[in-house]
Amino acid sequence: MKTNEELQKDVQKAIQWEPLLHAAEIGVTAKNGVVSLTGIVDNYSKKLEAENAAKKVIGVKALVENIDVRFPNNWSKTDEEVADEVLSALKDNWSVPKDKVTVKVEDGWVTLEGELPWDYQRKGAQIAASHLTGVKGVTNNITVKSDIHNAIEKKDIEQALNRSSIDDSDIKVSVSGTTVTLDGTANSWYQKDEAGDIAWKTPGIWHVKNNLVVDNYSSLEE
């Protein structure tokens, strides 16, 4: 059981524990499981690191993120330069099929579009763009359209969840065509994301609806 103050301190410590964020000034507030992050960082990687650190803390049920990315003057780049570097990073990334992703950059914000057969490729494209200097944020509009036409078996996904380290006792799986839906509860946000990642590995999948609710039995006081 955590009070709002205890959750706030746990998130602050989790963020400060990350090597990239030792010197970052990130404000944390917590109320009823909703954690808000504020502050300024000098690259997008640090913003993502802060989000991921907060999500892994037990007791966090929702995240409001208001961290700004502001570059030192000597780090600034034109949108054309950012676009060229993103395209080069995608080309060098083994997991991303060549010439399948298009890139748009506006004021340092990168938008990725296209169609790929696997979710890990979609995520690989986002990771490739996220760690570049000059990138303020990434919107991943890439869709997954599998080139495998096997019927998706519900029991295969259930068995994959059962083999994992997450507690799947309250996770319900349903399948409709190429879409998998996860309902029920997860013990942490991390486990919710893990369950979604496992579902995305199903051959033939196009969509995952992750409706899991984070319920870690923490009782937060105002």
Side-chain angles (χ1 to χ4, degrees):
M1 296 174 63
K2 293 182 182 179
T3 65
N4 291 327
E5 183 179 0
E6 288 170 338
L7 182 59
Q8 178 190 33
K9 289 181 178 179
D10 282 351
V11 173
Q12 287 172 333
K13 290 177 181 178
I15 290 173
Q16 292 168 358
W17 187 253
E18 296 298 329
L20 276 179
L21 303 175
H22 282 169
E25 296 184 0
I26 296 174
V28 179
T29 60
K31 185 175 181 180
N32 299 331
V34 179
V35 170
S36 298
L37 305 180
T38 58
I40 299 171
V41 294
D42 58 13
N43 66 63
Y44 186 54
S45 296
K46 292 182 179 180
K47 177 174 178 172
L48 293 178
E49 197 77 14
E51 293 176 8
N52 290 332
K55 287 168 67 174
K56 292 177 182 178
V57 175
I58 295 296
V60 176
K61 297 183 178 180
L63 190 65
V64 179
E65 187 273 299
N66 290 309
I67 299 173
D68 291 329
V69 179
R70 297 182 188 175
F71 304 114
N73 289 334
N74 59 327
W75 287 13
S76 61
K77 295 182 179 180
T78 66
D79 287 345
E80 289 77 11
E81 290 173 326
V82 173
D84 285 342
E85 291 191 8
V86 172
L87 288 171
S88 179
L90 292 174
K91 183 179 179 181
D92 292 341
N93 191 306
W94 66 268
S95 68
V96 182
K98 299 296 184 287
D99 303 322
K100 295 293 184 179
V101 177
T102 60
V103 176
K104 181 178 74 173
V105 182
E106 185 174 351
D107 193 25
W109 197 279
V110 177
T111 300
L112 304 176
E113 296 182 338
E115 194 175 89
L116 297 175
W118 290 97
D119 183 63
Y120 80 87
Q121 297 169 331
R122 181 176 69 87
K123 289 180 178 177
Q126 181 165 345
I127 291 171
S130 296
H131 298 287
L132 299 174
T133 301
V135 173
K136 294 181 179 179
V138 179
T139 298
N140 193 345
N141 290 334
I142 298 171
T143 58
V144 174
K145 186 175 182 181
S146 177
D147 51 12
I148 297 174
H149 302 291
N150 297 343
I152 297 175
E153 296 290 342
K154 173 184 171 182
K155 63 178 177 60
D156 291 340
I157 302 169
E158 292 174 334
Q159 290 171 356
L161 290 169
N162 188 255
R163 287 193 300 270
S164 73
S165 61
I166 67 175
D167 179 3
D168 66 327
S169 57
D170 291 315
I171 298 177
K172 300 176 180 62
V173 178
S174 59
V175 176
S176 177
T178 57
T179 299
V180 172
T181 301
L182 303 177
D183 290 302
T185 60
N187 292 344
S188 67
W189 200 330
Y190 174 77
Q191 290 202 6
K192 174 178 177 174
D193 286 348
E194 279 291 293
D197 287 343
I198 290 170
W200 268 117
K201 294 177 181 178
T202 309
I205 197 166
W206 289 20
H207 307 284
V208 171
K209 295 180 180 179
N210 193 340
N211 298 331
L212 294 176
V213 176
V214 177
D215 186 0
N216 38 51
Y217 309 107
S218 295
S219 178
L220 300 176
E221 301 173 0
E222 292 189 8

